[in-house]
Amino acid sequence: MSTDSDRHAMKMAKKKVARDKIMATKTDEKGLIIVHTGKGKGKSSAAFGMIFRCIAHDMKCAVVQFIKGGMSTGERDLILSRFGDICEFYTMGEGFTWETQDRDRDVEMAQAAWEKAKDLIRDPSNKMVLLDEINIALRYDYIDINEVVRFLSEEKPPMTHVVLTGRNAKEELIEIADLVTEMELVKHPFRSGIKAQIGVEF
Amino acid sequence: MSTDSDRHAMKMAKKKVARDKIMATKTDEKGLIIVHTGKGKGKSSAAFGMIFRCIAHDMKCAVVQFIKGGMSTGERDLILSRFGDICEFYTMGEGFTWETQDRDRDVEMAQAAWEKAKDLIRDPSNKMVLLDEINIALRYDYIDINEVVRFLSEEKPPMTHVVLTGRNAKEELIEIADLVTEMELVKHPFRSGIKAQIGVEF
């Protein structure tokens, strides 16, 4: 082994001790409120990745799409056709708000989606519930943020994970969340005239 | 309809026109170099979500894990057991570098993973190739960044998407990437003593 490798081994050994020490203090388990926000890509994909992680572990889970198009139809079809027994999937929204142009209808849809979400979260057999693009419905006040905060704080079973996605997450939600990731856009191909592509965007 | 709703409908109609106009200019398709970096969560999950998106669309794809543990064994097992025909999956790394403490061996592993990655990318039947946690191998110079940049720029088939994940993405990689997302950590439950949990972290 070269001296370079020796130095590396020593440095890494130290790092491992430090890390193991930190990890040993992390002993609690609880159901997390997880938020994916920001203008970057990956908010829904990462949430969908977690849903697949649950499916891989045979953990019951559920998805409510508040705005159609957040998670692609490809993903939905795959879950419905192959894993419908372990993951309930509901698409309640009709599309992005600038597509529908009817506020009353959007509010009605968002409310129905929220009622479904509450039922799914209340059912303790669901280990994870994903509320895809709910932040958009919250942003336009289709759903009352105070009601969502109250429900998640008071009625969510303690071991259930709830994942909420969408840009512009409200401060009140970030406040009560356990894990918040902001997907920040560094570079996007739309800027150079590349269109949304199968497998990447949908 | 209320005046409030009228105003909303008008605003959204305008937004739709503007958006449709922008989208109409996005007509090109090409294989993208996609980078997920940053200290936040979701880098591997979002990439894994894209792999499932490909699987959902029956697009051949492949995964090389440069560091074991980036993507969970749950995810790997699910892909191998259910979708092995459409997605090749290789775990080449042994664990995070602070676990192995042997630089020579880490370099050897990373090099082998990179050779496998090149073979998979060169095969045009693969529509997407995910190089999970390759940024860690690049950061420690287990693999030469110039060789990776050269290969992706010169040898990647034009329609193949390559996704590269891991913190501390090198500048040279960001330079040639089409789509870069930085997952920024806003809040993390480890800080309040919560341990890594099944379905969320692995």
Side-chain angles (χ1 to χ4, degrees), chain A residues 1-2 28 54 62 64 70 82 95 107 131 144:
Chain A
M1 225 194 233
S2 64
D28 291 353
C54 286
V64 179
R82 306 288 289 261
V107 169
L131 310 182
D144 180 12

Side-chain angles (χ1 to χ4, degrees), chain A residues 5 16 19 26 28 53 75 98-99 104 174-175 177 180 182 184 186-187 190 195 197 200, chain B residues 5 16 19 26 28 30 53 75 98-99 104 174-175 177 180 182 184 186-187 190 195 200:
Chain A
S5 292
K16 179 167 164 57
R19 199 184 148 84
K26 316 300 178 194
D28 291 353
R53 203 165 270 182
E75 288 154 0
W98 51 85
E99 295 288 347
D104 294 343
I174 289 175
E175 199 65 39
V180 180
E182 175 142 352
E184 210 187 304
V186 180
K187 235 181 181 183
F190 284 6
K195 71 176 180 182
Q197 292 177 90
V200 179
Chain B
S5 292
K16 181 169 163 55
R19 199 185 149 82
K26 316 300 178 193
D28 290 353
K30 73 166 199 170
R53 203 165 270 180
E75 290 154 356
W98 51 86
E99 296 288 349
D104 294 341
I174 289 175
E175 200 64 40
V180 180
E182 175 139 354
E184 209 185 306
V186 181
K187 235 181 180 184
F190 284 4
K195 71 175 180 182
V200 179

Side-chain angles (χ1 to χ4, degrees), chain A residues 39 127 147:
Chain A
K39 291 184 179 172
K127 302 307 176 204
E147 153 71 356

Side-chain angles (χ1 to χ4, degrees), chain A:
Chain A
M1 225 194 233
S2 64
T3 15
D4 218 37
S5 292
D6 285 345
R7 257 203 310 279
H8 178 82
M10 225 154 74
K11 199 173 136 196
M12 289 298 135
K14 262 191 205 163
K15 197 161 175 174
K16 179 167 164 57
V17 169
R19 199 184 148 84
D20 287 350
K21 209 162 151 184
I22 292 170
M23 295 314 283
T25 67
K26 316 300 178 194
T27 50
D28 291 353
E29 283 197 0
K30 74 167 200 170
L32 303 177
I33 298 172
I34 300 171
V35 176
H36 292 175
T37 192
K39 291 184 179 172
K41 283 182 55 65
K43 298 182 288 294
S44 290
S45 305
F48 173 65
M50 277 194 285
I51 284 291
F52 265 98
R53 203 165 270 182
C54 286
I55 290 172
H57 291 299
D58 257 323
M59 291 161 67
K60 249 190 118 260
C61 52
V63 179
V64 179
Q65 284 191 287
F66 281 75
I67 307 283
K68 196 169 67 186
M71 194 172 291
S72 82
T73 49
E75 288 154 0
R76 188 182 54 182
D77 295 347
L78 184 70
I79 291 178
L80 287 173
S81 66
R82 306 288 289 261
F83 306 106
D85 50 330
I86 193 161
C87 182
E88 286 183 71
F89 201 111
Y90 300 92
T91 303
M92 311 288 285
E94 291 226 301
F96 283 99
T97 46
W98 51 85
E99 295 288 347
T100 63
Q101 302 169 26
D102 180 345
R103 190 173 199 280
D104 294 343
R105 196 172 159 74
D106 285 346
V107 169
E108 206 177 286
M109 293 288 205
Q111 290 291 345
W114 174 237
E115 289 306 316
K116 173 56 78 183
K118 284 194 286 190
D119 287 348
L120 292 166
I121 294 168
R122 280 191 191 111
D123 176 355
S125 70
N126 285 320
K127 302 307 176 204
M128 181 180 283
V129 180
L130 164 56
L131 310 182
D132 192 45
E133 299 286 6
I134 189 174
N135 287 337
I136 296 186
L138 286 166
R139 187 196 179 183
Y140 287 106
D141 295 318
Y142 295 168
I143 311 169
D144 180 12
I145 180 68
N146 297 316
E147 153 71 356
V148 172
V149 165
R150 187 207 58 75
F151 178 83
L152 292 177
S153 310
E154 294 172 12
E155 291 192 49
K156 182 183 81 61
M159 294 311 292
T160 306
H161 304 298
V162 177
V163 188
L164 307 97
T165 75
R167 331 182 147 195
N168 301 106
K170 291 221 171 182
E171 262 317 307
E172 295 94 321
L173 180 63
I174 289 175
E175 199 65 39
I176 61 156
D178 300 289
L179 174 57
V180 180
T181 307
E182 175 142 352
M183 274 69 172
E184 210 187 304
L185 186 71
V186 180
K187 235 181 181 183
H188 199 295
F190 284 6
R191 291 197 185 145
S192 29
I194 304 295
K195 71 176 180 182
Q197 292 177 90
I198 189 167
V200 179
E201 272 92 7
F202 59 91

